[in-house]
Structures are given as structure tokens and as C-alpha cells.
Amino acid sequence: MTSTIFALSSGSPPAAIGVIRISGPRAGAALEALAGPLPAPRTAALRWLVDARGDRLDRALILWFPGPRTATGEDLAELHVHGGRAVVAALQAALGAVDGLRPAEPGEFTRRAFANGVIDLAEAEGLGDLLAAETEGQRRHALAIAGGALSRQVEAWQQAILEASARIEAILDFGDEGDVDADEARPRAIADGVAAGIARLLAAPPAERLRDGVRVVLAGPPNAGKSTLFNALAGREAAIVTDIPGTTRDVIEAPIVLAGQPILLIDTAGLRDGDDPVERIGVARAEDALAGADILLWLGDPGAAPDHPDLIRIGARCDATGHRAGVDLSVSVHAGEGMDRLRDLLIDHVRALLPREADLAVNARQRAALEEALEGLHLATSPDALLFAEGLRLARVALDRITGRAGIEDMLDGLFGRFCIGK
Amino acid sequence: MPDSFDIIVVGGGHAGTEAAAAAARMGARVALVSMRRDMIGAMSCNPAIGGLGKGHLVREVDACDGLIARAADHAAIHYRMLNASKGAAVQGPRVQADRVRYRAAIHELLADLPSLEIVEGEAASLRLGGPEGRRVKGLVLADGRMLAARAVVLATGTFLNARLHFGMRHVAGGRVGEGASVPLAEQLRALDLPMARLKTGTPPRLDGRTIDWAALDRQESDADPWTMSPLGKGRVAPQLFCAISRTNAETHAIIRGGLDRSPLFAGVIEGQGPRYCPSIEDKVVRFGDRDGHQIFLEPEGLDTHLVYPNGISTSLPEDVQIALVRSIAGLDRAEIVQMGYAVEYDHIDPRALDSGLAVRAMEGLFLAGQINGTTGYEEAAAQGLVAGMSAAAFAGGTQPMRFDRTESYIGVMIDDLTLHGASEPYRMLTARAEYRLRLRADNAPTRLTGAAIAAGMVGPERRAWFESRMAARQRLEEATTERLSADRMADTGAQVTRDGSVRSLGEWLRFPGVGADTLLALRPALADIDGDIIAEFRTDAHYAPYLARQEDEIQRLKSDDGIALPADMDFAGIPGLSNEMVERLGKARPSSIGAAGRVRGVTPAALAAILVHARRRAAA
């Protein structure tokens, strides 16, 4: 017997409203226990909620969604209560006392929706991202995935590969008996087309950047003004600033949002060969941060800047040192000079690194499956028809892992639907 | 007192003879019950054995010491390796067999099995016992004789409610000239097993003396002297040629003109026919844009003039059949000796069976062949082998051999049948086997003979042959481990690029430019090893990188197959499964989460729900 779970589904109290969700076979019984007879499905009703002793807990809006056509695929109830801590706690206690109910684990509602076939894996992942979305770009992207945009694209590829498979299988199983089109050019063209599409998607920026932010690393020699600039960009005194070279020992991170773009700002220890063991560790960490940087803000001698594909050379403290040659931009935090231009420049660079709104971005799991599919399609360029078919099969298996599964019978359906086959 | 046996096999077709022989090889006392002794081993339909997928099954049955390949070699009057130009894994050996010689070979092979007795008689009913009569005790014959046995294998072909259609005329019966077995059918119906209706058909038979052979393209028997079985005397019968012709626009017009009198299109036939060898009227209707369909004219034997026109199976009325045949090039004066007809019959939904082809609801009852919804001699023979072996293991209390879909076409077929059922007559295709790179017709003994020996199914002659073959393979493997440079290979005559690469000799063999001659030049001591063993070894090397890639997938599959589901799992009680899934899962009763995943329409999400449910149940 599946257990029935409940949880506060809105943000943590105190808040104006608290939404408590109950999902599972005893959701209806639990609603009746607290609110009396079930209201009409999918219609809000205003009721007094009471506990087992009959004590009134809150006057609330309740909703009843009988399964399976619900968000979780199970019977589902919602209590829209007043969002005070005591009210929510009392209701959770009352629900916990109902037989067969228990508090939900993190993500359990979504997991049930997946387990009950309401959403597929890609949609579940999108939904997870949607709930965690903090910026506008993240929200739009997560909404597209949760709405099945990636699933639809993958399904289109699956259909195409299925057709190519059906054609090549017909040639393999019936080619010698006449009656089938023995031309391999068409299935090979289909496979090439899908391979190109997957390669394009893989070339797009990864979804993790949307979730975790673009990694902008400030680096340079000691006492170059990195931490001052870092604090200015972060809008708070996150890093300690002194005139003493080597003040910043560790890597300091601050998530910020510029024009709706998520950025992870990273300050690092000044790069130099020192004797202080703590500073040496800090420099090693700085070098690691540099290696993982999406964008590098270099505050040292422009000629000494490390090799990086997305490098911005900054001439800092331009109010004191004057404008240096060879830099992309001169700024002075104290004079406020160049800061707006720096932000604009950063936004441009960040935008180029994030998936555009029209783009589908994939996460690491999806990327691995797509890479495997692509590998299969590369094998499918083998002149041996058998290996071609094997490559298509590998691609199907890999794509199936993203959304669903297309069995051999689906392929045979494709095969027989398209061809006249003599015995 | 009834005559007592370990196993009773009902039916002397391809399934029945393999079942009886497999059980007898395992030492069981077997009664092979057939209405007519002389009809045992008859080829009821086309004269061909093997083909793509089907040839694989023949080689696999042979690897388990079955009959079909040796009988086919004895009877073969034409050999053809299908897909000879394509990869080794999809090459299909196929022969035309002389009916008389085939039947004689089967009789001879059966006579070699001392514990097998042929009982001539009509099976009337099963003798049942046990709680609620759910255990088989033996068989009652129509003349009142009683036979006792621990297990019964039914391999009765299309006998269940069979109906022959000649145009709009129809008669009851299994094959032309033989009666249909009705009382046993009534008893099976009473068992309340799920059943469905299928149809199959046959083309008109032609008198070869009235065919204008000179006007047609000839197809000669393969010159390369391969055989179906490595055991036996090789090619013993004279080789004949086949011919190829085509239907044309006029043929199609004649067929369209006769559709109103076709039982298929006039609604008389309700059974589901195969998608892959449809009747010619089906092809014309479904693929109306095609200007012609290929026909193979296959001689039926050495001592007969009968010719089987493969490709024009039909149940159209007589006058239409004559007209359509005569519209075809080379057949303008052809005489039809026997009209084509369609057969409709009931079959048991094979999802009622377990992986040993035992009926779950009736202890000791096994089903094999067309009764399970399959078509074809090879599919029947392979099921007969499985059912006979499983019945003998059941009766003797020994461990049966399990056929896995990652290791054999037999395993693919059993898995497909018991999980998906047969919505149309099931025919083997290489496309059904997802791991076909390893399931080749040329390596069937390597894959299966060892396990068949362990199950006690293999006689001494094949056992000796197999052991010497494995010893030879072992020598090959040991002699090819040394790592050699590209230069060394090229110096020995191999067509490889001198790119400085170094590989083991075994790995070098996967390159097309490294032939058996190079191997023997480097390792002259291997010269006494059979060419086909070296060929198998080279093909293994050729596919090795791809097989390694499949290994993970197979391991995943096996681990999923290792998660057992209880036999009485209540799928309807699992939230989130659609009604369709519940119905399919309930019928197939998958024994593991892996098998459940192969039931059609079951999504990964549903699998997750089943898994969670099974775990929860196990914990409760």
C-alpha cells in the first residue's frame, strides 16, 4: 500500500498563506477528517479545519483533486491556510495524527508524479530546476524543459532514428528477397541529420551555468585591487580589503544577478611565489579557480594575463595610476569611474555564455546520453550495414534514457508500416 | 493399466519431433503420438528451411543436437546463403528441401533414439488429476487407449478450430487431406486459457513441366559447400536451380477484380494475418503503388514436378488464381495442381506460458509450435526443443537449460512470445535480436552447445565434435596473444598501414586486410584447424569492439532480470499504471523487473512504480 504524504508546499512561515499538500490513497480520508465531507472535485470551498479532538485549527480554503489526473497522479488535497508558524505547525501535527499519513521527503511529490507516469524524467528535471530558479532566465529555461521542450526534440530524433532503423532493418531482413527498397542513402541521410542536430545542441552552453551562475573569476598579482572590485560588484563587503599585499588568502564566492543573469563572482588570492604556507595554499586554490573560470577578470599587467578564452583585462585604480595601455577597460571603484561600463561589458560576456531563451540547454546527465547517442550515430557511418544498424540501435538506447523507451516492436511497426515485404 | 511414459508428445511436425527427440536424448521415455506414422516429419507448407533469423534458429537447434539441420542437409536440393554480401551476423543459411527425403531423414534420426516410441493414434483428451484437476497425468486416445506420463507436450499445429478457405468456400481441417482434432480442442477451451485467432496462407502449387523455365532468371545453388549442420554427410542430394519472376500490372488488375470474392476482404476471415508474408491480395491492396512483386519458383523435390511459387500466397477463388498465375512471365501456360488457400485457426496466447513453454495454469502441460501463435518450421522446431527439454527436466527433476535473449535467437523468441504474445503469426527476424552482433549463425555451437551438454541434451557424437572444436579455438586464442607491429604484419603480406601501431595478433584479425593466410603464415602450426573455426574467430575479432560496447548494456539487462517479481503480483494495485499496462502485465506475468521492462508499452516511469511496489511488498 502506498503511503500518503503531506507537506507545506509554499515558502517557510510566517507568510500570508500556507499551502499544505496531501497526496496518496488516504488524501481524501485525511481531508474528511480535518474538513468534513469532501467538496466537489477541483472546486475551492471555505471550511473550518479541526483536529482529532474537534478543536478548531484554522478557517481555510480547501481543494480536492481525485486521482489519477492530478499533479502527482494520485488523490491530492490542498489546504490553503493562514501562513503563521503556529497554524502551520498545528495542521502538520493534526495531519501526522491521521492514520496512514506521514510527512513527505524532499522532492517526493515530484518523484511520485514521475513514478506515476505524469511527467517523464526530463520534465521532472525541468520541474526541479523551475522550483530552484532564482533569475528570470533560469525560470524561462526551466519552464521550457518542464513543459517538455527537450522531450519533444528528443522524441523527434527518436522518430527519425526509428525510421532510419526500420529502413535499414528492412534491407537486412528482406533485401535478399526482393520487394524492398535496397537504397541505403535515405536512412544514412536521416542519421546524418539527427547527428548534426545533436551536435548543435551539445555545442550550446550547458544548463548548469544557468543554475549555478556563470563563473567570473577576479585574478591578478597581490594588492592589485581585486577584493575592492569584488566588493563593489557584489554590493557588500564580502572580502576584507587592506593595503597589505596577500590579504586575501582563500577563494571567496558571491552569487550576484546582473540584468537578470546569474553570476558567481569569485575573488582569489594574488598570484605570487611566497614562503607563507597559508598563502601558498591560497595561490593554489586561486589557480584552480582560474582553471574553472567562465570569464576571467585580470587585474595585473595586461601582457602577463594568463591564456583564457574569455578574458577581460582591467586597469584598476585608474584614478591613482592613470589609464594603462593594453587593457580592455579602466576602472576606479573609489571614483566610480568605468563601473557602469564594466557591468555592461560583463553582462554582454555573460549573455554569450548562457543559453539563449530560444535555446534548449541540457544538463550533465542529458549531455552524457546525447554524447552517447552521437557516438552511436558516428558508428552508423560505417559502410557495413550491420554496424550502421547497430549504431542506430545504440543511439536509440541512449536517447531512450532521456525521456522514455522505444522498444524493438515500435521499430518493427515502423518497418512494416512503411514497406511491402514479400516472404 | 495405461502404458506409462515420462513424456507424451502430441504431434509429429517440426515442433513435435524436436520435442520428442530432445526429451529422449535426455533419457526420458517418450511416446510420440501422431494420427499417421507416415506423416511424421512432413513439411506442410513451403519446401524451404532456414532464411534470415530462421537459419539462425536452425543452427541453434542443431547446436543443441536437434534434428532439423541434419534432416535439411539430407534433403537439400538447393543451398543459398542470404545476405552473403552483408555482415556475418545477418547472413542466413537457407535450403530447398525435398519433402520425401526430409521425412525419411527425420524417421531415421528418431529411430536412433531407443527410448522414443511412436504411438499411432488420435489424441482425444488429456488425463487430469491433482487439486482442481490442474495437473496433467497422461492422454486418452480416440480409440480408448490410455497413456500415462508426467508431462505432455502439445505440438498440434493449427488443429484448434481450424478452417480452410478456398475462395468463399470453407471446410474444417488442419491441412488439406487431414482432419482437425476437435475433442482435445474442446478440453483446452475448457481450461479457460487465453486464445486468439490467426490466419496463414499458402500459394497454389504449379506443375513444373508447364513452366517456361527458359524465359526466367535462374538462381543456382551456392557453389561454396557450406551445410546446415557440421555433422552429417554434407551435401548428398543433387542440386537443382530456382527461378525468379514478378507479378505485373495485369496480375494486379486480375486480383483487384476478384477481391469481392476474397474471404479476406469479404469479411469471412477474422484472424490476424502476418505483416511480413502477406497474401498477394493483401500486398496489392496495401501497396497499390508498386508495379510488381517478386516471386521465387522453388522446386518441391527430386521426384516430383510440383513447384512452389513463393510470394503469391492467396485464398482467392479458383478462376482468379488460374488467371493471376497465367498473367505472370514464364507461367502463361502453367497448370495449377493444387489451389492456394488460407487457414484460420485458434492459438493459445503464449503469455500463458513460462520460459520453459510450460502452461502456468496446468502443471505438466507444455505447448510448442503454431499452437503458440508462431509460423514457420524453424520457429516450431526451436520451441519443440525448448518444450521437450523443459518437460524432460520437469519429469526428471533436473535443471532445465535457460535460453537468454542475449545469447540466442531461441531466447529472443521465447522472451518475445511469453512477454508480448503474438498479435500476428510470429516469425523470426534478425531485427528482433538487439544483440545480434553476437548471435550469429556461424557461432551457434560456441554459444549453446556447452550449456546443452550440461542439460544432458547432446549425444556422444556431437559432444566429441564440440570438444575438439573448443580445443581448436583454445589453440587459436593462445597462439594469437603475442603483440605484433604493423610493420611485421605488412611484411607477412597483410594489407595494413605501416603506422607504427602494435596490437595482439588476435586484434589484428579484425582488420579486413588481415586474412587467414596471414595468420597461417605467422602461425604455421595452426594449419590443421578447420577453415570455419578460423572464420568464426576472425568474425569474433571483427565485432569485438562493438561487443565490448554492448557488454554494459547486457550487464544492466541481466541485473534487471535478476530482480524477481512475485508470481502473484497484483499489477492493478500499483498506482500510476494505465489500464492497458495492467492488462498486458497481467497477461505476461513477467518474472523479473527486466522482463516487465520488455512488456510492450511499459514506460520507465511505470517500471519505477513496479519496482517501488515490489520492494515495499518484499519489505512488508
Side-chain angles (χ1 to χ4, degrees):
Chain A
M1 188 69 190
T2 312
S3 57
T4 299
I5 55 172
F6 65 89
L8 178 68
S9 293
S10 54
S12 39
I17 304 181
V19 178
I20 296 172
R21 258 190 173 179
I22 310 162
S23 177
R26 296 200 39 83
L31 191 59
E32 279 181 324
L34 267 68
L38 294 179
R42 293 175 291 281
T43 308
L46 190 63
R47 297 277 179 84
W48 273 103
L49 301 182
V50 297
D51 65 14
R53 289 193 313 244
D55 290 344
R56 287 182 167 189
L57 302 174
D58 190 19
R59 192 166 156 80
L61 214 55
I62 62 166
L63 285 153
W64 165 238
F65 307 96
R69 287 174 55 205
T70 66
T72 56
E74 303 175 328
D75 284 352
L76 188 71
E78 281 184 10
L79 312 175
H80 295 227
V81 303
H82 294 102
R85 280 199 184 90
V87 174
V88 169
L91 277 161
Q92 284 179 325
L95 283 170
V98 176
D99 196 31
L101 262 67
R102 65 167 173 79
E105 310 275 345
E108 199 169 2
F109 289 97
T110 309
R111 206 169 66 210
R112 287 189 176 199
F114 168 66
N116 292 331
V118 178
I119 55 174
D120 71 21
L121 199 51
E123 288 165 349
E125 282 170 331
L127 206 56
D129 288 343
L130 185 61
L131 297 177
E134 286 178 6
T135 70
E136 183 59 12
Q138 286 170 344
R139 186 190 66 78
R140 288 207 197 114
H141 174 257
L143 200 60
I145 300 291
L150 178 64
S151 302
R152 279 196 299 279
Q153 175 60 72
V154 170
E155 264 160 36
W157 286 332
Q158 281 171 321
Q159 284 307 316
I161 296 178
L162 220 49
E163 184 189 340
S165 285
R167 286 178 183 272
I168 194 69
E169 295 298 343
I171 293 168
L172 286 172
D173 266 334
F174 298 98
D176 251 28
E177 304 178 33
D179 256 7
V180 295
D181 180 2
D183 184 11
E184 291 182 18
R186 171 97 182 112
R188 288 185 183 277
I190 294 172
D192 290 347
V194 173
I198 293 179
R200 265 198 305 278
L201 180 53
L202 285 174
E208 277 83 358
R209 272 199 200 132
L210 258 185
R211 193 188 63 209
D212 303 332
V214 174
R215 301 175 70 83
V216 176
V217 174
L218 288 88
N223 215 15
K226 298 184 292 295
S227 295
T228 306
L229 186 58
F230 175 83
N231 286 344
L233 286 172
R236 62 191 169 95
E237 299 296 311
I240 300 166
V241 178
T242 69
D243 290 336
I244 305 162
T247 301
T248 303
R249 297 290 180 92
D250 207 344
V251 169
I252 301 170
E253 297 184 349
I256 62 168
V257 176
L258 281 184
Q261 312 295 325
I263 293 173
L264 188 67
L265 207 56
I266 299 169
D267 190 20
T268 60
L271 299 170
R272 67 169 171 186
D273 298 323
D275 296 328
D276 180 351
V278 179
E279 192 180 349
R280 277 212 302 274
I281 294 168
V283 170
R285 286 186 183 178
E287 279 162 355
D288 287 348
L290 232 69
D294 292 321
I295 298 173
L296 179 61
L297 295 186
W298 179 251
L299 276 76
D301 172 9
D307 233 11
H308 191 275
D310 206 332
L311 178 70
I312 303 177
R313 285 158 297 200
I314 306 276
R317 294 177 185 155
C318 64
D319 55 326
T321 61
H323 293 254
R324 267 187 282 176
V327 301
D328 299 306
L329 185 68
S330 295
V331 299
S332 161
V333 172
H334 295 298
E337 190 186 336
M339 284 305 287
D340 286 344
R341 280 177 49 219
L342 174 59
R343 287 197 185 89
D344 289 345
L345 194 61
L346 259 183
I347 290 165
D348 287 348
H349 281 248
V350 165
R351 281 214 174 108
L353 288 174
L354 284 172
R356 280 184 307 267
E357 262 170 44
D359 276 354
L360 278 178
V362 293
N363 64 28
R365 187 191 72 83
Q366 294 157 344
R367 179 170 290 270
L370 287 171
E371 274 164 0
E372 208 175 297
L374 196 57
E375 208 180 308
L377 290 171
H378 286 153
L379 172 64
T381 57
S382 161
D384 181 343
L386 188 59
L387 293 180
F388 174 43
E390 171 67 5
L392 292 179
R393 191 188 70 81
L394 289 171
R396 287 206 313 272
V397 169
L399 290 180
D400 286 350
R401 277 214 291 286
I402 297 181
T403 51
R405 197 169 50 91
I408 223 119
E409 278 292 325
D410 298 313
M411 202 274 303
L412 291 179
D413 276 350
L415 198 166
F416 296 117
R418 276 179 256 265
F419 300 95
C420 168
I421 285 145
K423 188 176 177 184
Chain B
M1 265 302 277
D3 283 342
S4 187
F5 298 90
D6 294 319
I7 310 286
I8 297 166
V9 177
V10 184
H14 299 272
T17 50
E18 291 291 354
R25 288 198 301 279
M26 290 167 72
R29 284 166 307 131
V30 180
L32 175 55
V33 177
S34 174
M35 287 200 229
R36 281 168 53 186
R37 175 182 287 265
D38 65 337
M39 287 303 287
I40 290 175
M43 294 195 291
S44 59
C45 189
N46 68 334
I49 289 177
L52 295 165
K54 289 166 170 280
H56 292 76
L57 286 174
V58 171
R59 289 273 174 83
E60 290 182 0
V61 170
D62 188 60
C64 298
D65 214 13
L67 315 176
I68 188 168
R70 282 177 287 168
D73 278 329
H74 181 78
I77 51 178
H78 184 97
Y79 281 81
R80 182 141 185 262
M81 186 62 79
L82 299 180
N83 271 353
S85 64
K86 302 194 181 93
V90 287
Q91 290 175 4
R94 186 176 192 264
V95 303
Q96 301 294 327
D98 175 289
R99 282 177 203 286
V100 179
R101 290 183 67 91
Y102 187 85
R103 195 157 63 193
I106 290 287
H107 278 264
E108 205 170 301
L109 288 165
L110 291 178
D112 282 345
L113 296 164
S115 68
L116 187 150
E117 185 181 324
I118 293 173
V119 175
E120 204 168 32
E122 185 184 350
S125 61
L126 295 167
R127 299 174 62 222
L128 304 178
E132 299 174 46
R134 290 278 172 175
R135 190 157 73 216
V136 168
K137 290 167 55 191
L139 191 73
V140 183
L141 300 182
D143 59 11
R145 275 180 294 167
M146 309 269 261
L147 307 178
R150 280 195 233 157
V152 172
V153 179
L154 291 184
T156 46
T158 60
F159 88 114
L160 283 171
N161 198 14
R163 188 188 255 198
L164 304 183
H165 295 265
F166 303 87
M168 299 303 279
R169 197 162 53 82
H170 54 79
V171 292
R175 284 189 286 262
V176 171
E178 290 179 64
S181 180
V182 177
L184 181 59
E186 287 312 312
Q187 197 180 21
L188 275 181
R189 278 178 197 292
L191 283 179
D192 209 21
L193 296 172
M195 291 199 186
R197 200 150 178 80
L198 293 175
K199 75 127 190 151
T200 181
T202 180
R205 307 302 162 86
L206 310 179
D207 183 335
R209 292 168 298 187
T210 61
I211 294 174
D212 182 6
W213 297 100
L216 299 168
D217 289 338
R218 283 163 66 137
Q219 195 173 59
E220 303 290 345
S221 182
D222 280 356
D224 178 21
W226 58 270
T227 52
M228 277 293 192
S229 175
L231 272 59
K233 300 183 185 72
R235 294 184 183 181
V236 285
Q239 300 295 295
L240 306 181
F241 65 87
C242 298
I244 301 172
S245 189
R246 280 183 84 75
T247 61
N248 51 50
E250 190 194 339
T251 318
H252 296 184
I254 293 167
I255 291 166
R256 285 199 189 92
L259 285 181
D260 56 333
R261 287 184 293 146
S262 155
L264 203 58
F265 292 97
V268 181
I269 290 180
E270 56 202 68
Q272 177 72 38
R275 288 175 294 187
Y276 34 74
C277 61
S279 61
I280 186 67
E281 51 266 36
D282 236 350
K283 290 191 213 177
V284 167
V285 170
R286 282 166 53 190
F287 305 99
D289 55 330
R290 303 204 39 139
D291 56 3
H293 299 278
Q294 197 156 295
I295 302 168
F296 292 86
L297 297 170
E298 302 169 348
E300 295 221 354
L302 296 171
D303 307 320
T304 172
H305 298 294
L306 280 186
V307 167
Y308 184 96
N310 196 342
I312 51 169
S313 159
T314 181
S315 54
L316 287 164
E318 205 169 313
D319 57 308
V320 184
Q321 290 196 27
I322 293 170
L324 85 87
V325 162
R326 293 196 176 155
S327 70
I328 295 165
L331 304 183
D332 42 330
R333 284 196 308 276
E335 291 292 337
I336 295 180
V337 181
Q338 186 196 298
M339 290 295 154
Y341 57 92
V343 190
E344 254 196 304
Y345 57 99
D346 284 351
H347 75 99
I348 309 281
D349 184 338
R351 289 178 290 182
L353 310 178
D354 71 11
S355 60
L357 298 182
V359 177
R360 277 195 302 268
M362 174 66 66
E363 191 180 319
L365 182 60
F366 296 77
L367 304 180
Q370 268 179 308
I371 193 172
N372 290 337
T374 62
T375 173
Y377 304 150
E378 306 80 1
E379 289 81 355
Q383 288 173 75
L385 180 91
V386 172
M389 176 274 299
S390 308
F394 168 79
T398 58
Q399 199 60 35
M401 176 172 170
R402 287 284 168 219
F403 290 90
D404 192 293
R405 74 179 294 131
T406 63
E407 281 154 18
S408 64
Y409 275 85
I410 297 180
V412 169
M413 177 173 65
I414 302 285
D415 199 55
D416 284 351
L417 287 175
T418 56
L419 290 176
H420 299 153
S423 54
E424 63 181 328
Y426 182 96
R427 172 188 168 179
M428 186 44 75
L429 303 165
T430 71
R432 294 191 191 276
E434 51 277 71
Y435 306 112
R436 69 180 160 201
L437 289 183
R438 62 183 64 214
L439 309 187
R440 309 192 310 264
D442 70 347
N443 67 359
T446 310
R447 289 185 278 124
L448 297 174
T449 304
I453 289 172
M457 242 194 301
V458 176
E461 188 196 351
R462 186 176 306 266
R463 199 175 168 143
W465 174 87
F466 176 68
E467 278 158 9
S468 83
R469 186 179 178 87
M470 290 322 267
R473 265 199 75 107
Q474 180 81 24
R475 277 174 58 208
L476 266 174
E477 269 161 36
E478 283 164 5
T480 50
T481 54
E482 191 194 340
R483 293 170 63 78
L484 301 173
S485 67
D487 281 342
R488 175 83 192 281
M489 295 304 294
D491 290 346
T492 318
Q495 302 295 309
V496 298
T497 321
R498 293 175 186 269
D499 58 2
S501 57
V502 176
R503 291 186 175 81
S504 76
L505 181 50
E507 281 174 71
W508 278 116
L509 284 176
R510 92 170 122 97
F511 293 88
V514 182
D517 47 342
T518 313
L519 175 68
L520 295 179
L522 286 162
R523 298 285 182 268
L526 300 176
D528 62 318
I529 292 181
D530 258 8
D532 68 315
I533 302 181
I534 294 178
E536 181 188 323
F537 193 71
R538 283 188 64 210
T539 308
D540 284 350
H542 177 62
Y543 289 126
Y546 312 105
L547 296 186
R549 208 191 285 254
Q550 285 185 346
E551 204 45 52
D552 276 354
E553 209 180 302
I554 288 176
Q555 284 317 312
R556 257 198 314 268
L557 187 82
K558 291 205 163 159
S559 87
D560 286 351
D561 279 347
I563 303 172
L565 295 179
D568 61 342
M569 185 106 178
D570 173 23
F571 293 103
I574 302 176
L577 301 190
S578 67
N579 290 338
E580 198 184 4
M581 282 190 238
V582 169
E583 192 203 329
R584 283 186 179 152
L585 288 162
K587 279 191 176 151
R589 302 233 66 90
S591 58
S592 69
I593 197 84
R598 293 193 293 278
V599 172
R600 197 172 188 189
V602 173
T603 59
L607 267 189
I610 294 169
L611 184 62
V612 168
H613 192 79
R615 292 241 163 96
R616 201 176 283 146
R617 216 183 95 130

